[in-house]
Amino acid sequence: MWAGLNVDPEDFPTNTYGLCYPIELIRAVTLTWLFSGLRSDEIARLRMGCIRWQHDGFPIPGDSDEVLAWDAVCLLDVPTHKTGTSFTKPVDPLLGKAIEAWQELRPQQPKMLDRKTGEQVDFLFAHRAKRLAKTYINTAVIPSLCRKAGVPTADVRGNITSHRARSTIASQLYNAKEPMTLFELQAWLGHRSPESTQHYAKITPSTLTKAYTEAGYFARNVRTVEVLLDRDAITSGAGANGEPWQYYDLGHGLCSYSFFEQCQHRMACARCDFYTPKESTRSQLVEAKANLQRMLVSIPLTEEERAAVDDGQSALDRLLERLAEVATPAGPTPNELRAEPRRPLPLTVRSPPDPTDRKCC
C-alpha cells in the first residue's frame, strides 16, 4: 500500500523510449488495483468519466472548492463484467483523484471496441490508440511495488497476482470494526450470488476470537460468584481457629461455607447456619415475601398459568424430597432442621407506667 501511494518513474521498467506509459496512467492503474477490488479485465475496460462525486446525496464536480474531497463520496462506474451487468460502487477518494489526474492529461484517442459488450467506447487506460495490456498489473505493477516495498512476489498462498488485491480487500471489509454484511459485500464486489462472495469473505482469527468471546459460551455455562475475604480474620489468626474468613456474595446475603460451589442446598441458603443475610436486604426480603403472598391471593391465574405453577411446585417438591436426607454444610439434614423446635422470641416484661410520673404526661 505504501509503495503504491509513493510510486516514482524509476520504480517501473522502461524501454528505449522511457516508460511504457505516462506516470499518471501508471499511478492511476496502481491505485485502482489497490483500492477498487476489481478484476484485471474490469480495470482494463474502465471508461472515461467512470468517476463521479457526491455530497449528501447530491452530485458535485470533482474540482469543486466548496466540498473537501474527504467529505465527498467517490463513486466508480464498473462496466459489464463476467458475472453481471454494470454497476456503481463507492471507492476511496484517493483513487478518484488519481483517475481524474490521468483523465486531464489523457490525449484524444479513437474509440475502441469493447469485445464484452460490442460497443465502441473511450477506454480510460489507453495510450497511443492502444488499450492497457491485461497482463500489465501482473508483469509490471506487482513486481515493481514488491521491489519498492522490499517484500517477495510470492508467499504461502503462491504468487501475488492481480486477483490477490480483490480477495484481500473483501476479507478486510468483512473483518473490519464496522464490517460489511455478506450481501453488502456481494453488491460491492459485483457478484451474482452470495455463494461466490463467501469464497472471498474469510474470517480472520482475530475476528473469530472476538466473536467467540462476545458469544459468552463459558460465561453462560460457568457462573461466577464474588468472594469477600475478611482480612482481619486472616491476619489475626481467627480463620485458622475455625472463625469464618471468606464469604460468598449471593446478592441477598453471604455464605461462609468454604465449599459453597459443591453445596447441594444452594437454593435453600436461608435455612443454613452458614448464611448471613445482608442488613440492607432484610426489609426487602420481608416485603418481597409479603408481596408474593398477596399475589397468590389476589391475582387470578388461567388454567395454563396454574398448570405451569403446579409443575414448578411439583419439580421443587421432588428436589426437596431428594435432598431431604442430604446433610447441609452445618451438619443436620433438612428433615432434622424441620424437626427442631422453634426457639421462642425473648420477651421483656415491663411494669405499667406510674401515673404520678411527669414523664408519662
Side-chain angles (χ1 to χ4, degrees):
M1 187 72 71
W2 170 85
L5 294 173
N6 297 275
V7 292
D8 295 315
E10 57 270 17
D11 297 328
F12 289 84
T14 60
N15 53 27
T16 55
Y17 301 99
L19 287 174
C20 299
Y21 299 105
I23 188 60
E24 291 79 10
L25 185 150
I26 296 176
R27 186 175 290 111
V29 171
T30 301
L31 294 184
T32 302
W33 177 66
L34 287 172
F35 290 100
S36 68
L38 296 179
R39 305 177 181 91
S40 58
D41 176 70
E42 296 168 350
I43 295 176
R45 293 177 49 248
L46 288 175
R47 302 172 183 180
M48 289 288 292
C50 61
I51 287 294
R52 293 183 288 114
W53 298 86
Q54 283 187 355
H55 181 67
D56 291 338
F58 298 96
I60 60 174
D63 57 352
S64 175
D65 296 331
E66 299 178 359
V67 179
L68 295 177
W70 299 109
D71 296 332
V73 177
C74 183
L75 301 177
L76 176 65
D77 294 330
V78 182
T80 302
H81 50 287
K82 76 171 188 177
T83 59
T85 58
S86 59
F87 68 101
T88 301
K89 63 192 302 183
V91 293
D92 194 279
L94 279 174
L95 172 57
K97 289 297 183 181
I99 290 180
E100 286 186 338
W102 163 240
Q103 286 185 151
E104 293 178 0
L105 299 176
R106 180 183 179 274
Q108 291 291 333
Q109 301 177 60
K111 294 182 181 295
M112 304 176 199
L113 176 65
D114 187 344
R115 295 181 180 179
K116 189 73 176 179
T117 62
E119 300 174 290
Q120 294 287 334
V121 298
D122 290 318
F123 288 113
L124 173 65
F125 298 125
H127 184 58
R128 295 177 179 172
K130 289 185 179 180
R131 288 177 49 189
L132 178 75
K134 293 182 180 179
T135 59
Y136 183 74
I137 295 177
N138 286 332
T139 59
V141 174
I142 295 176
S144 299
L145 296 184
C146 291
R147 184 168 53 252
K148 184 179 182 66
V151 298
T153 57
D155 54 15
V156 293
R157 296 174 56 186
N159 294 329
I160 300 178
T161 64
S162 61
H163 207 72
R164 180 69 66 89
R166 179 175 171 87
S167 61
T168 302
I169 294 173
S171 297
Q172 290 179 347
L173 292 176
Y174 194 69
N175 291 277
K177 185 177 181 180
E178 299 293 337
M180 279 187 174
T181 65
L182 184 64
F183 295 104
E184 291 171 344
L185 188 59
Q186 173 192 348
W188 194 82
L189 293 173
H191 285 152
R192 184 175 299 174
S193 64
E195 287 78 9
S196 302
T197 309
Q198 290 177 348
H199 296 288
Y200 295 86
K202 297 178 181 179
I203 300 178
T204 61
S206 58
T207 301
L208 188 61
T209 301
K210 182 175 181 293
Y212 179 76
T213 303
E214 292 179 350
Y217 173 78
F218 287 105
R220 290 198 307 267
N221 293 277
V222 180
R223 301 302 181 186
T224 59
V225 178
E226 291 185 357
V227 181
L228 306 179
L229 302 180
D230 189 346
R231 296 178 58 89
D232 294 337
I234 297 175
T235 56
S236 64
N241 298 328
E243 294 293 330
W245 58 276
Q246 64 177 357
Y247 299 88
Y248 290 87
D249 190 351
L250 310 180
H252 51 77
L254 303 172
C255 178
S256 60
Y257 182 47
S258 300
F259 302 96
F260 171 78
E261 70 278 0
Q262 303 175 11
C263 180
Q264 296 175 298
H265 300 274
R266 284 179 294 184
M267 299 301 293
C269 292
R271 298 181 60 86
C272 182
D273 292 342
F274 289 92
Y275 177 74
T276 302
K278 293 181 180 180
E279 294 295 333
S280 60
T281 58
R282 289 179 185 270
S283 60
Q284 297 178 7
L285 292 174
V286 174
E287 183 180 358
K289 181 178 179 180
N291 289 338
L292 290 175
Q293 292 175 350
R294 288 196 296 269
M295 289 170 62
L296 288 174
V297 175
S298 61
I299 298 179
L301 300 178
T302 64
E303 294 182 1
E304 293 79 3
E305 292 173 337
R306 183 168 292 278
V309 173
D310 293 340
D311 291 342
Q313 184 65 38
S314 300
L316 182 60
D317 292 340
R318 290 194 297 271
L319 176 61
L320 294 177
E321 291 176 2
R322 199 162 57 246
L323 298 176
E325 297 299 331
V326 179
T328 62
T333 64
N335 284 340
E336 294 173 347
L337 290 174
R338 284 193 289 268
E340 292 181 358
R342 295 184 177 180
R343 289 176 289 184
L345 295 175
L347 300 178
T348 302
V349 180
R350 299 180 62 182
S351 58
D354 188 356
T356 61
D357 192 353
R358 294 182 177 180
K359 295 182 179 180
C360 296
C361 300

